Amino acid sequence: MWSTAVVTFSDEISALVLDPGYSSTRAGFAGEDVPKSVTPSYYGVLSAPGSSDKLLFGDNSINTPLANLAINNPMSKDGMVEDWDTAAKLWEYAITSRLTNAKPGNPVTNGLNDMDTSAMDVDLVSAQEQERPLEENPLLMTETGWNSGKGREKGIEIAMESWGCPAFWLARNGVLAAFAAGKATALVVDIGASNISVTPVHDGLILKKGVARSPLAGNFVSQQLRLLFSSSQPPTPLTPHYLVSSKTPVDAGVPAHASYKSFAAGTAPQDSFRRFQEERVLTEFKESVVQVWPGPGRLAGQGQHGTTNEEYAKTLPGRPFEMPDGWNQMFGAERYRAAEGMFDAKMAFTDSENPAPQQGQTIPSLIQSALSQVDSDIRPHLLSNVVVTGGTSLLYGFNDRLNHELMALYPSPRVRISAPGNTSERRFASWIGGSILASLGTFHQMWISKKEYEENGPNIVEKRCK
């Protein structure tokens, strides 16, 4: 058995909330409205002959085109950690760079003092103790609803052993997003960068057998845009900002008139850096041009105007976009097509390397799958409390379309969608839920203390954090 002694802290010490995602890692103090630290989950690897690789974290570092710079991500495409060593360093950077500051190193070993250390007996244990960055702050960390037992244990191990946290808790991000919306029971539809997940939450607990997910999320929409641009006639150029030295305004559809940067042999960043910079342009395009066909009906379906909805979309005003090199165009019906694959797999762009997604991976199918796995008595409660979260859910028209799809699937129960208009609340819902939870006075009895961890080992997280 394990003890559940109440962990107490002084009022001046706030718990930290860490919410790692595929695109960004959010960190901040419990009780605050939004995370103070939002760091890219991508990191740079700087390789130099004859020396070990240097890791670069943070917006400024990874967006500067340095020689041989490669961009990687410690998370796998399914939203779980793949490279734990780098993930721990990235998360520590996210916390210490904006929130707690790094602890001072031992003056003998920090490289700032030239002194004769031969006569000194450096106490390595105390040096390590000094380097523990979170020894004052309890830590609440979020996880996906499908995280593995091994991944959960690794999370508490890093917090307790590497960072020296006095207390720890691991919470499912679906539950936290429901809390952020003020609901204990909800159907949480999370559209992130690498995954869509649909999580049924009942009385503050996830119904694990009902969790459904698929990869048709933000990165899928970006790939759809790449296929759209390459199949256009002529192809739409995708030149990232760092390659453009100067540009001259040109008319719509006319080739760009710009001068481009060139790199001498051995001074260019690697291909992964260019792809990462192209993704930034695609993100701008998604935010300003891409729209979800709002419904009723699907884009390929018959509309109310005697034609298909796609034909009708061609008559609507377009949206302009200018690429970094000055090339610009008005985008018409194709701006709806890029996101349509999330709802209708047949409408997705494909090529030899990007096969068509399965209909079972689309958002309506995921919701059907999730609801079919839960007790029929609670389905009406879930449908009347649909919580929409995740950065990709901010695509224009998304909520209208989701509402139409749900009304078509479930005509009799009352469907009610809760989606905050505030972009921060939508992007950071699971962090905000964690901030609310960790600041509750009644939550103090929930923390896993350092003592419990030492007595039971990392497996305590499986027993306590359900």
Side-chain angles (χ1 to χ4, degrees):
M1 282 295 291
W2 59 91
S3 63
T4 54
V6 177
V7 181
T8 55
F9 308 101
S10 91
D11 289 340
E12 292 174 11
I13 293 178
S14 291
L16 286 164
V17 180
L18 179 67
D19 180 24
Y22 186 86
S23 174
S24 66
T25 296
R26 288 74 63 177
F29 290 111
E32 296 192 344
D33 293 340
V34 289
K36 267 199 179 125
S37 171
V38 181
T39 306
S41 293
Y42 292 89
Y43 66 96
V45 181
L46 208 50
S47 307
S51 63
S52 57
D53 290 349
K54 182 181 179 185
L55 300 184
L56 304 177
F57 303 113
D59 264 316
N60 294 340
S61 302
I62 63 173
N63 289 308
T64 306
L66 302 172
N68 238 359
L69 176 62
I71 302 295
N72 294 335
N73 195 313
M75 311 285 273
S76 66
K77 292 280 195 296
D78 60 5
M80 296 202 295
V81 178
E82 211 167 41
D83 177 355
W84 279 100
D85 290 343
T86 308
K89 290 173 186 168
L90 173 72
W91 300 340
E92 187 174 323
Y93 170 85
I95 292 168
T96 57
S97 65
R98 296 294 305 274
L99 303 170
T100 62
N101 297 325
K103 295 279 180 189
N106 188 308
V108 175
T109 58
N110 66 10
L112 299 177
N113 299 282
D114 296 324
M115 53 176 79
D116 179 14
T117 58
S118 57
M120 292 189 181
D121 180 16
V122 178
D123 184 349
L124 289 177
V125 176
S126 69
Q128 283 175 345
E129 288 295 327
Q130 273 188 302
E131 288 163 13
R132 291 188 168 181
L134 305 181
E135 57 192 358
E136 292 176 355
N137 304 85
L139 177 71
L140 183 147
M141 190 167 161
T142 72
E143 61 168 345
T144 61
W146 54 92
N147 196 10
S148 65
K150 184 181 172 192
R152 306 185 88 205
E153 290 182 11
K154 191 70 182 167
I156 192 171
E157 211 174 281
I158 289 169
M160 292 292 189
E161 295 184 17
S162 303
W163 297 344
C165 291
F168 180 80
W169 188 258
L170 194 61
R172 312 273 189 186
N173 46 24
V175 172
L176 297 178
F179 286 169
K183 299 176 189 297
T185 296
L187 186 69
V188 179
V189 181
D190 186 349
I191 321 287
S194 63
N195 276 280
I196 294 173
S197 65
V198 178
T199 308
V201 178
H202 184 59
D203 287 340
L205 295 171
I206 70 165
L207 306 175
K208 203 162 183 186
K209 64 182 180 181
V211 175
R213 63 188 171 97
S214 97
L216 306 189
N219 294 347
F220 165 76
V221 178
S222 293
Q223 191 58 36
Q224 288 287 289
L225 288 173
R226 287 178 184 273
L227 294 173
L228 167 66
F229 291 168
S230 62
S231 62
S232 302
Q233 289 302 326
T236 302
L238 182 55
T239 308
H241 290 274
Y242 80 98
L243 287 175
V244 180
S245 292
S246 63
K247 62 182 179 182
T248 306
V250 293
D251 291 336
V254 174
H257 192 268
S259 57
Y260 300 97
K261 287 180 187 165
S262 58
F263 291 90
T267 66
Q270 295 189 23
D271 290 346
S272 58
F273 178 83
R274 172 165 183 153
R275 187 170 178 89
F276 177 64
Q277 295 302 316
E278 288 173 352
E279 286 294 326
R280 296 183 77 201
V281 179
L282 293 173
T283 298
E284 288 174 35
F285 190 90
K286 285 189 285 187
E287 289 172 353
S288 56
V289 177
V290 172
Q291 286 183 244
V292 177
W293 176 250
R298 298 188 168 171
L299 190 61
Q302 200 68 19
Q304 302 166 332
H305 311 276
T307 61
T308 64
N309 285 323
E310 189 169 17
E311 285 300 316
Y312 174 65
K314 290 176 182 174
T315 66
L316 299 175
R319 285 193 169 190
F321 187 79
E322 182 179 306
M323 291 291 180
D325 61 0
W327 182 94
N328 65 95
Q329 177 82 24
M330 191 70 77
F331 289 87
E334 61 269 32
R335 73 181 186 275
Y336 293 105
R337 192 68 200 275
E340 186 64 14
M342 297 165 76
F343 293 91
D344 183 1
K346 296 191 293 292
M347 288 295 281
F349 293 108
T350 61
D351 66 5
S352 56
E353 293 177 10
N354 296 278
Q358 298 164 1
Q359 191 61 33
Q361 295 177 315
T362 61
I363 295 172
S365 299
L366 290 179
I367 291 173
Q368 277 184 299
S369 167
L371 289 175
S372 69
Q373 295 294 320
V374 302
D375 194 336
S376 57
D377 291 348
I378 65 169
R379 282 177 206 162
H381 298 292
L382 295 174
L383 281 166
S384 62
N385 292 283
V386 178
V387 173
V388 175
T389 180
T392 306
S393 72
L394 290 163
L395 287 174
Y396 194 81
F398 181 87
N399 291 337
D400 292 338
R401 174 62 174 275
L402 182 62
N403 194 45
H404 281 300
E405 293 279 350
L406 288 177
M407 305 255 289
L409 287 172
Y410 303 100
S412 52
R414 183 180 176 203
V415 173
R416 195 167 189 177
I417 293 177
S418 168
N422 183 321
T423 57
S424 295
E425 288 179 32
R426 194 91 67 86
R427 288 174 60 211
F428 306 139
S430 55
W431 185 92
I432 292 168
S435 174
I436 293 167
L437 184 63
S439 60
L440 293 175
T442 50
F443 186 69
H444 279 201
Q445 63 196 351
M446 303 294 290
W447 290 109
I448 298 171
S449 69
K450 181 89 171 165
K451 186 171 179 234
E452 283 178 90
Y453 174 77
E454 286 166 353
E455 286 173 0
N456 297 277
N459 186 251
I460 183 76
V461 79
E462 284 289 290
K463 298 168 185 168
R464 291 281 302 282
C465 305
K466 298 295 184 187

